[in-house]
Amino acid sequence: MDFELTAEQRMWKEAVHDFVAQEVKPKAKEVDENGEVNWTAIHKMGSLGLLGLNVPEEYGGAGVDAVSAAIAIEELGWGCGSTALSIAAHNGLGCAPLALFGKEALKQKYLPIVARGRHPDGSPSGLAALALTEPQAGSDLRGIRTHARLEGDHWVINGTKMWCTNAGIAEYILTLVRHDQEQGSEPFSLILVPTDQPGLKIDPPEKKMGLKGSPTHAVSYQQVRVPQDYLLGKPGAGLRQTLQVLDGGRIGIAALSIGLAQAAFEFALQYAKERKAFGLPIAEQEAIQWMIADAATEIHAARMMVYYAAWLKDQGKRFTKEAAMAKLFASEMAERVCRNAIQIHGGYGYSREYPVERIYRDARLMTIGEGTSEIQRLVIARQLLKA
């Protein structure tokens, strides 16, 4: 593969970068301290295409290629981890499954709203969400217990989900459920649940270490009724659909990790040039230079891994292994780079007055969300062993 971006991709990168620099990055500290969603920026994203990265143009989306989608998430991560996570989850987990597997009527009803960020009457809309994890089922999706029972022409859903990004600000939550198993089929399906349905309870946002402006919630379903055709695809296809979606989502988390690392690296580089010790800028110290060199090298390597996985996706080839590799390397790389950025800042890096403290806290989730590093290693190993 030729890793050189196309002219269109370079223009896209520049446009997104400029938007993030103006609308997202200046409010990152405020978003973190107040734990509030940056709606001002999000409401402007629809017209730029950032809310419909995975949505075809006929449904109001941007329908960009996978490399361009990764570029956008990286730039958002460079600006604000919280905002980037909500938009990455919205696109990769909330919109993508509906665009890939939803029935035509369902796509026409919901995709234009969430991709444009507007209701038909012009009022702002919420984002999209995906609910997988449960109190007793995280990495083991086969262990979920949230149940859907078909009654007439409606599904009746009961159960509890945890760690659902965007639930409290969502138009709908795609929910992985267990149901009565037909002979020869899997007992799992994805069902679209509008957030205004009676019986759906969304708890207050979790109090988290970082990413405080990206709300994460527990969600409970108590006799929640949704139409039968709100199921995505055929009954029993939910686990396969989810795993396919998570492959793409891992590219997004990897890209977000690179954005966080890039921001921390830039702050550290600037600080190293300005801060003096023993009469010289600390950038003159070999120990500092090594950390700077390692950061630049690892960021570049991670970016190439993300581009390659995204390119495979665009080519319609299998990318499960490559997405897991990119997510594993980029997320662990981001922790190292952010840690060293704090080290370069010294005591100031531990202070909330400097952005590297926030970025480090935000980066910590990346090795956990959408499959822990341990799960990524299992995925990679199994792909290699069955080859």
Side-chain angles (χ1 to χ4, degrees), residues 325-342:
M325 285 178 167
K327 199 268 188 185
L328 172 65
F329 183 80
S331 60
E332 294 193 347
M333 173 277 296
E335 273 202 58
R336 289 190 294 272
V337 170
C338 292
R339 180 266 183 198
N340 285 343
I342 289 178

Side-chain angles (χ1 to χ4, degrees), residues 65-94:
D65 60 89
V67 174
S68 295
I71 288 170
I73 299 303
E74 178 187 335
E75 292 295 340
L76 286 165
W78 171 79
C80 172
S82 291
T83 305
L85 181 63
S86 280
I87 300 306
H90 163 80
N91 279 288
L93 303 182

Side-chain angles (χ1 to χ4, degrees), residues 42-349:
I42 291 175
H43 289 155
K44 297 177 182 179
M45 290 183 187
S47 59
L48 190 60
L50 291 173
L51 300 182
L53 297 174
N54 304 99
V55 178
E57 292 181 10
E58 57 263 36
Y59 301 107
V64 300
D65 60 89
V67 174
S68 295
I71 288 170
I73 299 303
E74 178 187 335
E75 292 295 340
L76 286 165
W78 171 79
C80 172
S82 291
T83 305
L85 181 63
S86 280
I87 300 306
H90 163 80
N91 279 288
L93 303 182
C95 294
L98 180 55
L100 288 169
F101 312 118
K103 297 175 180 62
E104 183 63 25
L106 199 61
K107 291 192 285 190
Q108 290 183 1
K109 181 174 182 178
Y110 283 103
L111 284 179
I113 294 174
V114 293
R116 294 169 180 155
R118 298 282 173 183
H119 290 284
D121 63 4
S123 62
S125 75
L127 300 179
L130 173 66
L132 301 177
T133 302
E134 298 184 4
Q136 302 301 322
S139 298
D140 178 18
L141 290 178
R142 290 185 178 274
I144 69 165
R145 290 292 177 264
T146 297
H147 187 269
R149 182 180 69 257
L150 193 59
E151 290 187 0
D153 59 356
H154 279 72
W155 293 101
V156 180
I157 305 172
N158 288 279
T160 302
K161 296 290 185 180
M162 296 288 293
W163 302 114
C164 183
T165 302
N166 292 343
I169 57 173
E171 287 289 314
Y172 63 79
I173 302 172
L174 298 179
T175 306
L176 184 64
V177 300
R178 176 183 292 271
H179 52 75
D180 295 336
Q181 184 176 5
E182 298 180 9
Q183 187 173 4
S185 70
E186 289 270 6
F188 305 103
S189 291
L190 283 171
I191 298 177
L192 187 150
V193 180
T195 52
D196 60 357
Q197 289 299 105
L200 184 72
K201 179 186 176 185
I202 301 172
D203 286 351
E206 300 286 350
K207 296 180 180 179
K208 301 178 296 185
M209 173 182 176
L211 301 163
K212 297 179 180 181
S214 176
T216 307
H217 305 261
V219 182
S220 61
Y221 304 74
Q222 300 174 2
Q223 296 292 108
V224 176
R225 299 177 64 87
V226 296
Q228 182 178 358
D229 59 3
Y230 277 33
L231 182 143
L232 304 192
K234 297 180 180 179
L239 192 58
R240 175 183 56 79
Q241 293 169 346
T242 299
L243 294 176
Q244 180 179 337
V245 166
L246 288 177
D247 283 345
R250 284 165 183 160
I251 296 176
I253 293 298
L256 201 167
S257 299
I258 295 167
L260 291 168
Q262 182 68 39
F265 169 72
E266 291 175 7
F267 283 122
L269 189 64
Q270 178 182 359
Y271 184 85
K273 292 177 180 179
E274 296 173 352
R275 170 70 168 168
K276 289 186 177 182
F278 306 106
L280 293 171
I282 62 172
E284 298 294 323
Q285 303 296 330
E286 191 175 65
I288 302 297
Q289 292 176 1
W290 285 3
M291 285 189 276
I292 290 171
D294 286 347
T297 301
E298 290 193 308
I299 290 170
H300 177 73
R303 187 175 288 121
M304 293 302 101
M305 293 178 74
V306 167
Y307 285 175
Y308 180 58
W311 177 81
L312 287 175
K313 182 182 179 183
D314 282 332
Q315 301 304 307
K317 299 179 180 180
R318 282 192 63 85
F319 63 98
T320 297
K321 172 169 62 69
E322 289 76 12
M325 285 178 167
K327 199 268 188 185
L328 172 65
F329 183 80
S331 60
E332 294 193 347
M333 173 277 296
E335 273 202 58
R336 289 190 294 272
V337 170
C338 292
R339 180 266 183 198
N340 285 343
I342 289 178
Q343 202 73 5
I344 290 171
H345 280 72
Y348 289 117

